[in-house]
Amino acid sequence: MKVLGVNALFHDPAAALVVDGQTVAAAEEERFSRRKHGHRPVPFAAWELPEQAARWCLEQAGMDVSDLDAVTYSFDPTLARPAEALGLHDPWDHLRQTYAHHAPQFLATSLPGLDPAAVRFVRHHVAHAASGALASPYQDADVLVLDGRGECASHLAGRYEGGRLTVHATQELPHSLGLLYEELTEHLGFLRSSDEFKVMAMASYGTPRFHDEIRARVRTDDRGGFSTDPIAWHTMAKPLRPGEEWDQDHADLAASVQARLEEVLLELARWLRRRTGGDRLTLAGGVALNCVANTRLHAESGYDEVWVQPAAGDAGTALGSALHVAAEEGDEIRPMPGADLGRGWSDEEIEAHLRTAQVDFERPADVAVEVAECLAADGVVAWFQGRSEYGPRALGHRSLLAHPGRSANLERLNDVKGREQFRPVAPMVLAERASRIFSRGPLPSPYMLFVHDVAPQWRERIPAVVHVDGTARVQTVDRDGEPLVARMLEAFEQRTGLPVVINTSLNTAGRPMVDDPRDALECFGSAPVSLLAIGPFVVRRRPPGR
Ligand SMILES: [Fe+2]
């Protein structure tokens, strides 16, 4: 069965293609439109469909719209209720519902030849759940979904077995851990439903001084759900305007909410495990991008294994909705092969782009060695290899790389990217070396969705990737799955004694990650990067005047 999955309504419009249970392609619209997150998550923008991503998915598979058996849409408007009835203050939410109701016609317009009757609505949290359990290596697994909101709920706890989902608990709106975290994000002067990870980073600078206040407002029940009562944020820390300096109160507030979030997630996971007796937990929904909480779930929930969908936010519901319908129709679902499900280019295509741009480029004997040389000499490298990543993390395909042994490189990279200086950058490490340096979080950790403790003797050696609390958000690199990245890490280790390289996403502030060769050249042209390694080629930054 050929299923095109579409996410459009709230955040991060995306498309994914599943053919006979196999994930063939998945990409976010922002990578094509060059507009971060595709559109703002406001009701007025909810009609915008991931048109370019959807067309590309079909192209990638050499398919036509008429070949599709179904198109899935990761929101079911027949389950929705008016915002007022849900206790939400969202006066234009009815626009969303209208757009969702008409999605089949809209989709038929943007994908000419599509029969609107082929469009199937999938409940939002079921789409998230499938992106967790069905895309995971396990298939039969418990799944916990937490996000801002779906049709009427903000949470689902269930279990997939034999491709069938049993729902054990849901939490109705307005209670929502995702919306709570979004509110705090806004209170701290950041962009809500975009900058939540900045709050998580800030939390490491605080102590949970307001824990009791938050605990009194955010409580679990004995049915696997929870309540979130309104919080008077200003009584604990004054609201910040965008760009305004934060102080200890703000860090302490972030730390308090983070601590309570972790406790509640643990309670929800333990409840689910008691109910199912399961030993493997999968996670999806925007809250599952909280890698600090994920590490606690791994360590303390009682599950033997925890797997997180790399596109845990709404982008992942494009894939999840398609997988769910394919499973319902009896297809045997295969685990997603990796996060590199986006666009890729042949060497010839890349060379043509370089010639068009009229830049000097070389084809070294081994691009991995060339990059390791540059990094060892403290250069910053733009690394563009293979297919782009699905989800918000750069995982060695569209990355900025640097030497982790120079503490100044944290500031340098945050400057290159135009980011706040309190934000950490992350290490990539050869999988077989990881346990020597990193502990507590699960290893291997190929998708950067957990935090790990850095061994004390290594903190001095790789200071640029150690966060203020002594942790790092590791990506482990498997030699078989990522031979080129592994070779680069090995060549870097030979030169420096460090099997670790700084890896952060290849983009500059406010822009989506680089996706195509032209984006890579534009980024290289405008940012102080020493070397662009694109396919087998390298482009060097020439010192000014030469
Ligand atoms: Fe969601």
Side-chain angles (χ1 to χ4, degrees):
M1 180 165 190
K2 302 177 180 71
V3 190
L4 178 74
V6 168
N7 170 59
L9 202 64
F10 294 111
H11 315 275
D12 301 307
L17 184 67
V18 173
V19 177
D20 300 332
Q22 178 79 43
T23 302
V24 172
E28 292 173 57
E29 185 70 2
E30 64 161 25
R31 309 292 161 88
F32 298 81
S33 69
R34 311 309 299 156
R35 192 171 160 211
K36 200 161 168 97
H37 298 301
H39 61 59
R40 287 297 300 140
V42 292
F44 315 97
W47 62 272
E48 291 182 42
L49 295 167
E51 291 184 38
Q52 298 181 72
R55 272 191 234 117
W56 168 77
C57 282
L58 294 175
E59 227 175 85
Q60 172 72 13
M63 280 169 43
D64 189 69
V65 173
S66 57
D67 297 324
L68 291 170
D69 298 301
V71 174
T72 56
Y73 185 83
S74 59
F75 184 90
D76 185 346
T78 65
L79 303 172
R81 295 203 299 271
E84 319 76 83
L86 297 169
L88 296 177
H89 177 70
D90 198 347
W92 294 96
D93 190 54
H94 60 91
L95 276 183
R96 279 201 190 92
Q97 314 304 340
T98 305
Y99 294 144
H101 274 290
H102 294 292
Q105 288 76 29
F106 288 171
L107 281 162
T109 309
S110 63
L111 295 171
L114 177 71
D115 177 0
V119 177
R120 289 165 63 163
F121 295 123
V122 177
R123 185 169 143 197
H124 187 71
H125 290 132
V126 168
H128 271 308
S131 82
L134 293 182
S136 78
Y138 322 132
Q139 317 262 313
D140 288 353
D142 290 0
V143 60
L144 202 52
V145 173
L146 287 134
D147 67 357
R149 61 167 294 194
E151 293 84 359
C152 292
S154 71
H155 152 259
L156 180 152
R159 179 170 177 81
Y160 264 100
E161 234 170 61
R164 294 282 177 272
L165 173 67
T166 306
V167 176
H168 289 285
T170 60
Q171 179 54 58
E172 289 251 314
L173 293 164
H175 305 286
S176 167
L177 293 171
L179 292 180
L180 175 89
Y181 216 86
E182 283 186 22
E183 258 179 42
L184 173 63
T185 303
E186 193 167 36
H187 186 78
L188 296 175
F190 302 125
L191 188 60
R192 68 183 294 162
S193 62
S194 168
D195 292 349
E196 280 65 30
F197 50 92
K198 297 184 186 177
V199 177
M200 188 183 69
M202 190 191 284
S204 315
Y205 291 84
T207 50
R209 187 158 54 93
F210 306 112
H211 200 161
D212 289 345
E213 286 90 326
I214 305 294
R215 190 183 278 131
R217 313 296 292 167
V218 182
R219 295 179 306 270
T220 50
D221 59 31
D222 54 7
R223 300 179 303 279
F226 55 87
S227 60
T228 54
D229 295 331
I231 293 175
W233 302 107
H234 65 278
T235 61
M236 293 172 271
K238 76 173 179 76
L240 293 176
R241 289 187 300 275
E244 200 178 350
E245 281 293 304
W246 51 272
D247 60 26
Q248 199 54 46
D249 285 347
H250 300 104
D252 290 349
L253 180 56
S256 307
V257 173
Q258 175 69 31
R260 185 61 188 143
L261 175 75
E262 291 167 20
E263 282 174 0
V264 170
L265 292 179
L266 273 172
E267 287 170 40
L268 297 177
R270 286 173 183 151
W271 181 90
L272 179 62
R273 187 166 167 274
R274 279 198 300 276
R275 183 95 177 201
T276 65
D279 49 16
R280 288 157 163 176
L281 176 65
T282 61
L283 299 171
V287 176
L289 292 171
N290 194 305
C291 43
V292 177
N294 294 348
T295 291
R296 283 200 67 188
L297 283 170
H298 169 256
E300 301 173 43
S301 65
Y303 283 98
D304 295 340
E305 290 177 52
V306 177
W307 187 88
V308 188
Q309 163 60 240
D314 277 358
T317 63
L319 175 59
S321 61
L323 289 173
H324 182 78
V325 164
E328 254 183 359
E329 295 295 328
D331 278 358
E332 192 187 326
I333 307 298
R334 260 86 45 80
M336 64 190 275
D340 53 335
L341 299 167
R343 286 190 289 178
W345 279 265
S346 68
D347 294 353
E348 293 70 33
E349 287 169 320
I350 291 172
E351 189 171 351
H353 273 278
L354 294 170
R355 292 198 186 285
T356 302
Q358 298 187 354
V359 290
D360 285 337
F361 63 92
E362 300 154 35
R363 184 174 186 144
D366 186 349
V367 72
V369 171
E370 204 66 27
V371 165
E373 287 275 353
C374 178
L375 294 172
D378 205 24
V380 172
V381 175
W383 174 262
F384 181 108
Q385 302 293 343
R387 292 176 67 174
S388 60
E389 296 91 344
Y390 183 45
R393 305 270 178 263
L395 299 165
H397 291 245
R398 301 290 185 272
S399 291
L400 266 178
L401 309 175
H403 194 312
R406 318 279 165 98
S407 53
N409 276 344
L410 168 60
E411 197 175 324
R412 185 174 168 205
L413 281 180
N414 278 336
D415 277 346
V416 168
K417 299 183 50 144
R419 309 196 319 178
E420 296 86 351
Q421 283 302 343
F422 66 88
R423 292 182 45 200
V425 290
M428 51 164 53
V429 59
L430 279 169
E432 64 263 35
R433 303 274 198 280
S435 62
R436 259 204 260 159
I437 309 171
F438 304 103
S439 60
R440 195 163 60 98
L443 292 172
S445 181
Y447 298 133
M448 271 172 90
L449 287 160
F450 298 89
V451 293
H452 298 72
D453 288 335
V454 182
Q457 67 274 25
W458 277 90
R459 290 184 190 171
E460 293 289 293
R461 298 186 68 189
I462 50 172
V465 293
V466 184
H467 195 32
V468 61
D469 55 3
T471 64
R473 195 178 61 196
V474 175
Q475 181 201 350
T476 56
V477 174
D478 171 58
R479 209 175 281 278
D480 295 331
E482 296 284 354
L484 182 70
V485 182
R487 216 159 64 233
M488 180 272 294
L489 285 167
E490 220 164 27
F492 183 75
E493 185 182 17
Q494 281 163 10
R495 284 158 180 79
T496 62
L498 305 174
V500 176
V501 160
I502 302 177
N503 165 36
T504 183
S505 56
L506 181 53
N507 62 335
T508 48
R511 290 166 195 261
M513 266 208 268
V514 158
D515 204 76
D516 75 12
R518 198 179 62 169
D519 306 331
L521 283 160
E522 284 176 358
C523 183
F524 178 72
S526 63
V529 172
S530 323
L531 188 82
L532 167 64
I534 180 163
F537 308 104
V538 297
V539 184
R540 290 175 204 286
R541 167 88 54 221
R542 305 250 177 252
R546 285 180 55 190

